[in-house]
Amino acid sequence: MIVLILSSFFSYYLISYPYNDESNIKYVFAYIIPSVAAIMFVYLCYIMNRHIVKKIVLMTKALHDISEGDSDVLAPKFGVYELDKIAINLNSLIENSQNVKKTEIRYERELIEDSKNEYIRETLLQLQTSLNLLIKDIALLKSNSWSNYEDYDKLIQEANTKADKIKKEINHLLQTTRQMNFISEQ
């Protein structure tokens, strides 16, 4: 800025200062000096501020990566106070987001585990009921309390049906727990 002001004064001096010769050199210098000063001013501004611009570009890249869903990226910290505050706040936001994701995942796993346990409890209760009925039928068969061969055949068919039902429930329980374990591993 000082260079620009000095060059303006110098240009004014060249234009105002009378020369003995009739050449237009003073007018050429009057236009060249402010142009060179303006170019120097822009270059000096670039030199003085390029490190800040690079930091802003890095911050912008980090923000872009975060907005794309990459929550492992942290904003870089710089020696510029304002950019450091932005980076610290942004990193705090990212860490809070990661904590919320971890909490959600843990909560989902707990829900899956609770639903698995509830399903297993209900299925085991059904198995226990079916097994108790089967044991009762077998006790009736052993007690010889049937009056004819048809009652005996009927009790055997009922026991067989209940045993098949228990077998199906156990197979279904095993298959479901395998699927639940596969899902929870992912």
Side-chain angles (χ1 to χ4, degrees), residues 84-99:
D84 280 344
K85 284 185 79 173
I86 292 172
I88 289 169
N89 290 331
L90 185 61
N91 291 339
S92 173
L93 180 67
I94 292 167
E95 289 169 3
N96 288 340
S97 172
Q98 289 172 343
N99 290 337

Side-chain angles (χ1 to χ4, degrees), residues 50-158:
R50 75 172 181 235
H51 68 285
I52 295 174
V53 172
K54 285 181 183 178
K55 293 173 183 177
I56 291 173
V57 168
L58 287 174
M59 182 77 72
T60 304
K61 184 183 178 310
L63 285 171
H64 177 71
D65 291 344
I66 292 166
S67 70
E68 293 291 321
D70 188 2
S71 62
D72 294 332
V73 174
L74 293 178
K77 294 180 184 173
F78 307 110
V80 180
Y81 177 73
E82 291 81 7
L83 291 178
D84 280 344
K85 284 185 79 173
I86 292 172
I88 289 169
N89 290 331
L90 185 61
N91 291 339
S92 173
L93 180 67
I94 292 167
E95 289 169 3
N96 288 340
S97 172
Q98 289 172 343
N99 290 337
V100 166
K101 279 184 180 180
K102 288 176 184 176
T103 303
E104 286 176 356
I105 290 171
R106 187 174 59 245
Y107 180 71
E108 286 175 4
R109 286 184 179 158
E110 288 173 1
L111 282 177
I112 289 172
E113 194 65 33
D114 289 346
S115 66
K116 281 189 336 186
N117 291 337
E118 181 65 26
Y119 174 77
I120 290 171
R121 273 193 299 273
E122 288 177 11
T123 306
L124 288 176
L125 229 133
Q126 291 174 354
L127 285 171
Q128 185 181 19
T129 304
S130 299
L131 190 59
N132 286 338
L133 290 173
L134 182 61
I135 291 171
K136 182 180 172 186
D137 287 346
I138 291 173
L140 282 172
L141 286 171
K142 284 182 180 179
S143 70
N144 293 330
S145 63
W146 37 277
S147 58
N148 60 16
Y149 184 72
E150 289 176 5
D151 289 339
Y152 179 74
D153 193 37
K154 186 177 177 183
L155 281 174
I156 289 178
Q157 285 179 351
E158 286 179 13

Side-chain angles (χ1 to χ4, degrees), residues 38-56:
I39 291 171
M40 286 178 56
F41 175 73
V42 170
Y43 182 71
L44 287 174
C45 287
Y46 169 75
I47 294 294
M48 293 171 63
N49 294 318
R50 75 172 181 235
H51 68 285
I52 295 174
V53 172
K54 285 181 183 178
K55 293 173 183 177
I56 291 173

